[in-house]
Amino acid sequence: MSMYRYTVRRLLQIIPVLLGVFTLTFVMMHALPGNPVRIYLGLNPSQELADELIRQYGFDRPLWQQYLDYLGRVLTGNLGESFLLKRPVADLMLERLGPTLTLMGLSYVIALPISLLLGVYAASRHNELGDHVSRFFGLAGLSTPNFWLGLMLIFLFAYELGWLPASGYVPFAQDPVESAKRLVMPVITLATAQTATLMRMTRSSMVEELSQDYVQTARAFGLPERRILLKHAFRNALLPLVTIIGLQLSFLLDGSVIAEKIFAIPGMGRLFFKGITKQDYGIIMGMTLSFALLFLVGVLLTDLAYAYIDPRIRYD
Amino acid sequence: MSALGGATVLAGCGGQKTTGDGPGGTDQKGGTFINTSPESATTLDPRMNELAWANSMMHYLFDSLLAVKPDGSEIVPHLAKERPKKKDETTYTVPLKQGVTFHDGSELTAEDVAYSFNWVLDPKNKSTNRENLGFIESVDATGDYEVTFNLKYAYALFELELTGMNAVIVPKKAAENKGQKKFAQKPVGSGPFKLKQWQTGSHLTLERYDDYFLKKANLKQIKYRIIPEAQTAFVDLKTSGVHQASVPEKLLGEAKNIDSIQMKRISQFDYNGLVFNSKRKPFDDRKVREAMQYLVDYDDMLKVTKGELGKRSYGFMPKEVNEAWDFPWKEWKQKYYPPKDHEKAKQLLEEAGYGDGFDVTMSTLASGKFKNMVIKLQNEMDQVGINAEVQEVDIGRWLDQLDTGEFDVTIYGWSGGQDPDGFYYYLFRNPRNDDGGVEDSYVGNASAGMLYEAYPDSEKLKKADQKIREARKLGSRDERRKLYIELAETFQSEYPHIPVYSEQSATAWSKKVNGYDPTAFAAQPLCNKWSNASLSN
């Protein structure tokens, strides 16, 4: 099968998966006790007003009808309206896309090279001091909760030292210096766990490769160690790593919810969090579908990347 | 009234100029005052806003007919030329000031005032304020600068209601032309500041309105930055990233040591407590509910929940209301809130037939202030043989439990404002007796501990419901006071609730801000009739 046909087939497969995500999310959301109207109106609301809003938003209709209506709207590209913010979900998400992508992109750009370098280094010093130190930091980075690290960074760099502003987001185009200052701490917060995960994966993958016979043979032939490491072993170790790198995207989304909240960044993570706590069906559905789509595209790109890394892989 | 915020009152901008040398250096006209808020408003249309805390932002955009002095002592005319003139028990005329303009330059007239009220009262507009203004039949423009209020019944809180965000004036023409949804995004009011930019989740920027009918503000802009985490906002305050932030209880000591800021505690006019479901065993027995009072040292419960930022409350009202109305709360304290005494608790449980204890589930929201309250009760219950399970629920489930009555013990918080009616009418009336009634499936008023559902034939409760409704219609404060004392006695003796504490918020602001003194009553503390804040270098 050609790569073109494979790509098209995989793209088509996204549709039933998205439908599954849509259906599951819809069902789970409605299975929760309470409803957005009730949460919005709080304690002791006017019964008349509550009834009216429930009618207006169609929450009193049978669930299957609500499901089909909503599905129909989504199929025409309309993600619906946020009950809470009274605005189209797509608009709300677009407004918040910039900060989230900046945060995630920068975290990834920083985490990736550092983790690969450290992972290869640790593997090349297997069971030596350098390896132990790298592993220690890897474990520490992995075990540090995002929210704790974020608060500690704020405490140190903003509160004690006064070097960086504690919170907020300034678009790069508006003021590059101010933008960078405000991104340092959230990016470190988000990148730390990423770096740790990827570093540990790189290390174990490299350790495995370095124990293979071909590496021994290469060494016997007197090939330089650097060449063995980077040209031969690393290339082979990349395959499992690419899978993890792709999947880590979804964890970045996860972490951005916390980083955006602590550092007051008006991104999609916070919107999602608000949507969930207030049971705003529009926001929950819109965000879940978008995240699912992003994840599926990430997985697809990962699969396609295999071909580049390992030409033996065939798409049939 | 809301479970989410405090009293809502309004005042106007002007007063004496405060330019000149302030304590922090040279005062400057202009500048941006940066405030913080943990959440973004969901609408900027005051007619559709349900979130009481969001009013603090909208107060700068919109004006009301009357205002409360910053110390809460008096209601004064604001957009109105003078206070309402009583024609008869249910008819009042209100003359308006001339020359007041909206942010679009149009003049504020009686037509706008009548439109604003009648729009809210029209059921088809689904205004969240409609119930609060439900005492008004209609409002007529009886002159270019005079409106007449026709009330459904004599209403004690008429003037107080006219000071709040439920009763602000919007321009008829702009509101009609824009339509409600667009107006909510780009509102037009007559307040001292107009909207400059609003990005939900990020910030709200207001800009000085130069043609404000009182003296214009010293500040050029007010910006509200949305910072969800209180600790982060506090660090921003310390590092001069913002001018004002609230101080979490754990950082109070730290805040006191920072020279560049000043701090004040502001009463929230609320109370938080525990509700026992009197419709269910074993709490259907009054003695079991009373035993809960003897079980716990509630002063201690306050310490482990709100600590320094709370005050014990009695009579289902915060201390401030008890004091302002001169209620005999010290007597109530003696009579209904005795100190911890496990022997007495056990005796009451035994008399009720529960000497061997029982099993109970207590639900709570995740927030520390509520959770610690329930855990404290659980610990004490354990010591007298009651097996209590604590269930942490999200807000949807909690509200559901209150609606359906599917709970044994749960937590409760209510912000009712400065008048006892804000507590008794909303928490203790029997909604089945409301105009139009409620559906048969309705399980009762959870906040009254399901008392009405548990004892439908109780004459005492029937009378209490009548008194609650009567008290809001009486003109005389003395008569109202008498009724509220009777009501407090009735309900306290039933122990549907145990009110534990009223909250105070600690707010801190930069010393670079001069002429600024936020109070629980001053709704536009940066710029009102009595003060006009400015920033020094």
Side-chain angles (χ1 to χ4, degrees):
Chain A
M1 192 187 291
S2 73
M3 187 141 156
Y4 171 73
R5 283 185 62 194
Y6 175 79
T7 311
V8 171
R9 202 183 75 191
R10 287 294 305 271
L11 279 172
L12 288 175
Q13 277 173 358
I14 286 181
I15 296 169
V17 177
L18 278 182
L19 187 68
V21 170
F22 178 90
T23 309
L24 264 178
T25 314
F26 188 89
V27 170
M28 286 195 291
M29 212 166 58
H30 284 84
L32 286 172
N35 64 60
V37 173
R38 195 62 190 83
I39 293 173
Y40 172 67
L41 293 177
L43 286 175
N44 306 324
S46 147
Q47 193 61 39
E48 187 192 35
L49 181 63
D51 291 347
E52 187 54 49
L53 287 173
I54 285 170
R55 248 195 312 277
Q56 187 189 346
Y57 281 84
F59 297 143
D60 56 340
R61 290 178 310 155
L63 209 56
W64 64 267
Q65 245 181 43
Q66 292 187 50
Y67 173 83
L68 288 180
D69 270 11
Y70 199 13
L71 185 62
R73 261 183 290 153
V74 170
L75 287 177
T76 57
N78 179 359
L79 286 176
E81 193 182 69
S82 155
F83 173 79
L84 192 68
L85 299 168
K86 313 273 186 289
R87 289 183 57 205
V89 173
D91 287 3
L92 292 168
M93 280 166 51
L94 274 177
E95 268 175 20
R96 288 158 172 81
L97 191 64
T100 301
L101 283 187
T102 310
L103 186 60
M104 279 172 55
L106 282 176
S107 307
Y108 225 47
V109 164
I110 286 168
L112 207 56
I114 295 179
S115 58
L116 292 182
L117 274 175
L118 281 178
V120 172
Y121 172 77
S124 70
R125 298 281 183 278
H126 189 40
N127 281 337
E128 292 173 20
L129 181 67
D131 185 25
H132 294 318
V133 172
S134 306
R135 278 165 64 193
F136 172 77
F137 281 108
L139 194 65
L142 204 62
S143 328
T144 309
N146 273 346
F147 70 90
W148 184 86
L149 179 63
L151 287 175
M152 285 302 113
L153 289 173
I154 290 178
F155 176 73
L156 184 64
F157 293 108
Y159 194 77
E160 283 297 321
L161 301 170
W163 292 352
L164 293 167
S167 71
Y169 174 78
V170 176
F172 186 77
Q174 191 183 313
D175 185 342
V177 176
E178 200 55 35
S179 175
K181 273 186 180 172
R182 285 170 200 269
L183 279 167
V184 172
M185 292 194 288
V187 166
I188 293 177
T189 306
L190 206 51
T192 300
Q194 296 301 314
T195 310
T197 313
L198 291 175
M199 192 277 271
R200 284 163 59 85
M201 283 301 298
T202 312
R203 181 192 162 277
S204 57
S205 195
M206 280 295 286
V207 165
E208 201 186 320
E209 284 304 322
L210 287 174
S211 66
Q212 299 288 326
D213 289 345
Y214 74 88
V215 173
Q216 303 298 330
T217 315
R219 280 188 181 139
F221 275 99
L223 252 68
E225 190 66 19
R226 179 184 291 245
R227 191 157 170 206
I228 296 172
L229 270 180
L230 300 180
K231 175 104 180 150
H232 299 287
F234 182 62
R235 192 148 186 186
N236 286 329
L238 259 181
L239 213 54
L241 274 180
V242 167
T243 315
I244 294 294
I245 290 168
L247 292 178
Q248 282 292 312
L249 260 179
S250 60
F251 291 108
L252 266 181
L253 285 171
D254 187 34
S256 73
V257 175
I258 292 160
E260 285 175 10
K261 192 159 183 276
I262 293 174
F263 295 101
I265 294 170
M268 300 204 342
R270 250 175 65 199
L271 182 70
F272 199 18
F273 184 77
K274 189 168 186 158
I276 291 170
T277 50
K278 305 279 182 191
Q279 280 191 27
D280 191 318
Y281 296 159
I283 292 179
I284 296 176
M285 288 303 283
M287 295 291 291
T288 311
L289 284 178
S290 311
F291 277 18
L293 185 65
L294 196 67
F295 182 74
L296 290 170
V297 170
V299 171
L300 176 62
L301 290 177
T302 309
D303 287 352
L304 293 177
Y306 283 172
Y308 175 77
I309 297 162
D310 187 350
R312 288 171 305 174
I313 291 177
R314 291 282 170 272
Y315 296 98
D316 46 34
Chain B
M1 302 307 152
S2 162
L4 298 161
T8 56
V9 288
L10 184 74
C13 179
Q16 78 252 30
K17 280 186 183 175
T18 50
T19 48
D21 285 349
T26 313
D27 276 7
Q28 286 206 322
K29 274 212 171 189
T32 303
F33 178 92
I34 306 174
N35 206 334
T36 53
S37 169
E39 273 193 76
S40 199
T42 54
T43 174
L44 292 181
D45 184 347
R47 303 169 299 172
M48 301 303 277
N49 177 45
E50 180 58 29
L51 307 171
W53 54 264
N55 287 339
S56 65
M57 304 176 184
M58 277 186 272
H59 273 304
Y60 290 108
L61 291 168
F62 296 96
D63 288 309
S64 53
L65 295 175
L66 305 174
V68 177
K69 267 188 165 178
D71 62 2
S73 62
E74 198 187 339
I75 291 175
V76 296
H78 187 53
L79 288 175
K81 204 167 155 191
E82 47 197 275
R83 282 170 68 165
K85 291 182 205 164
K86 191 173 175 179
K87 293 257 174 184
D88 59 51
E89 282 303 314
T90 56
T91 317
Y92 291 83
T93 57
V94 181
L96 305 173
K97 281 182 184 144
Q98 295 186 24
V100 177
T101 56
F102 289 109
H103 301 152
D104 62 1
S106 63
E107 194 187 8
L108 186 150
T109 64
E111 209 184 344
D112 298 304
V113 177
Y115 167 78
S116 300
F117 282 95
N118 293 330
W119 192 93
V120 169
L121 293 170
D122 187 344
K124 83 170 191 301
N125 293 323
K126 304 176 195 76
S127 166
T128 47
N129 298 346
R130 188 165 160 250
E131 192 184 13
N132 295 311
L133 297 184
F135 62 94
I136 301 173
E137 180 66 47
S138 64
V139 180
D140 301 323
T142 41
D144 287 347
Y145 301 101
E146 186 197 79
V147 285
T148 300
F149 283 84
N150 307 302
L151 308 189
K152 284 182 188 158
Y153 43 80
Y155 186 56
L157 281 79
F158 172 49
E159 287 203 359
L160 186 64
E161 284 291 348
L162 294 192
T163 66
M165 278 305 284
N166 293 327
V168 293
I169 309 307
V170 300
K172 181 182 178 194
K173 207 172 153 192
E176 280 183 344
N177 287 348
K178 282 174 189 267
Q180 193 278 319
K181 276 196 171 178
K182 207 168 163 202
F183 189 81
Q185 299 295 318
K186 296 195 185 304
V188 178
S190 63
F193 287 83
K194 56 186 179 180
L195 177 69
K196 187 177 180 201
Q197 195 189 31
W198 183 33
Q199 197 182 330
T200 53
S202 175
H203 62 270
L204 170 72
T205 309
L206 309 175
E207 191 177 36
R208 180 170 63 211
Y209 176 48
D210 288 338
D211 294 326
Y212 188 51
F213 77 99
L214 294 171
K215 274 180 189 167
K216 70 179 179 187
N218 285 331
L219 294 166
K220 174 79 177 149
Q221 292 188 136
I222 301 174
K223 184 173 180 176
Y224 283 91
R225 274 190 55 203
I226 312 303
I227 305 182
E229 292 291 330
Q231 289 98 323
T232 312
F234 180 73
V235 176
D236 266 319
L237 175 67
K238 194 226 170 193
T239 54
S240 306
V242 300
H243 291 106
Q244 187 173 6
S246 56
V247 185
E249 202 242 325
K250 283 178 189 148
L251 292 174
L252 282 176
E254 189 72 25
K256 284 175 198 157
N257 293 327
I258 299 175
D259 290 338
S260 60
I261 59 171
Q262 48 197 322
M263 189 167 51
K264 189 174 182 178
R265 291 179 197 186
I266 294 180
S267 300
Q268 297 295 295
F269 292 96
D270 69 351
Y271 82 83
N272 302 276
L274 295 154
V275 189
F276 308 102
N277 189 345
S278 41
K279 222 181 140 189
R280 276 193 178 183
K281 282 188 182 311
F283 296 108
D284 59 340
D285 192 317
R286 197 199 71 89
K287 282 184 177 163
V288 178
R289 301 196 297 268
E290 190 181 353
M292 297 300 115
Q293 175 58 44
Y294 286 101
L295 210 53
V296 184
D297 178 345
Y298 285 94
D299 289 336
D300 207 32
M301 189 181 266
L302 165 63
K303 266 187 218 155
V304 298
T305 50
K306 284 311 282 185
E308 276 188 66
L309 290 181
K311 284 181 189 169
R312 285 296 309 280
S313 54
Y314 305 101
F316 310 105
M317 287 173 285
K319 200 176 172 195
E320 289 82 0
V321 175
N322 278 333
E323 284 175 348
W325 282 71
D326 198 20
F327 287 135
W329 63 273
K330 285 181 185 158
E331 276 173 41
W332 296 341
K333 184 182 171 184
Q334 289 243 311
K335 205 165 157 188
Y336 302 109
Y337 306 90
K340 176 176 161 179
D341 181 347
H342 275 197
E343 286 313 310
K344 179 73 182 168
K346 278 187 209 163
Q347 184 199 324
L348 283 166
L349 289 172
E350 228 155 79
E351 284 171 20
Y354 293 99
D356 297 330
F358 49 85
D359 292 343
V360 69
T361 306
M362 305 196 283
S363 60
T364 174
L365 292 170
S367 97
K369 69 173 188 181
F370 288 127
K371 208 158 73 178
N372 290 351
M373 206 150 72
V374 174
I375 290 171
K376 176 87 182 155
L377 179 60
Q378 182 193 31
N379 289 341
E380 302 290 346
M381 282 178 156
D382 190 47
Q383 291 176 35
V384 295
I386 301 170
N387 178 29
E389 186 195 329
V390 172
Q391 192 184 49
E392 191 181 304
V393 294
D394 65 14
I395 192 152
R397 188 166 175 81
W398 178 63
L399 290 167
D400 209 44
Q401 287 180 340
L402 294 177
D403 279 355
T404 55
E406 292 297 316
F407 68 93
D408 295 331
V409 181
T410 192
I411 46 93
Y412 211 83
W414 182 253
S415 181
Q418 311 142 49
D419 195 282
D421 177 80
F423 296 90
Y424 278 94
Y425 181 76
Y426 291 91
L427 299 181
F428 292 106
R429 80 181 193 277
N430 184 357
R432 285 197 187 280
N433 296 333
D434 285 358
D435 282 346
V438 289
E439 289 169 20
D440 285 346
S441 58
Y442 186 84
V443 287
N445 194 346
S447 40
M450 304 285 178
L451 280 179
Y452 291 107
E453 294 293 307
Y455 315 118
D457 300 325
S458 162
E459 284 304 318
K460 189 167 109 174
L461 287 172
K462 278 181 195 164
K463 273 189 192 149
D465 181 56
Q466 284 164 8
K467 282 178 193 170
I468 290 171
R469 291 166 196 278
E470 195 187 336
R472 61 179 0 214
K473 295 179 182 175
L474 290 173
S476 147
R477 188 171 167 113
D478 286 344
E479 284 177 84
R480 295 186 69 214
R481 180 176 173 274
K482 195 170 151 273
L483 282 182
Y484 285 122
I485 291 173
E486 288 170 18
L487 284 165
E489 293 277 352
T490 302
F491 284 105
Q492 286 178 111
S493 66
E494 286 293 331
Y495 292 99
H497 253 162
I498 292 185
V500 184
Y501 63 86
S502 301
E503 276 189 70
Q504 290 188 304
S505 67
T507 189
W509 64 96
S510 162
K511 283 185 179 163
K512 284 183 183 166
V513 189
N514 303 307
Y516 181 49
D517 185 20
T519 72
F521 302 96
Q524 299 163 318
L526 283 167
C527 168
N528 59 34
K529 203 180 231 165
W530 301 272
S531 64
N532 198 349
S534 60
L535 297 173
S536 51
N537 288 326

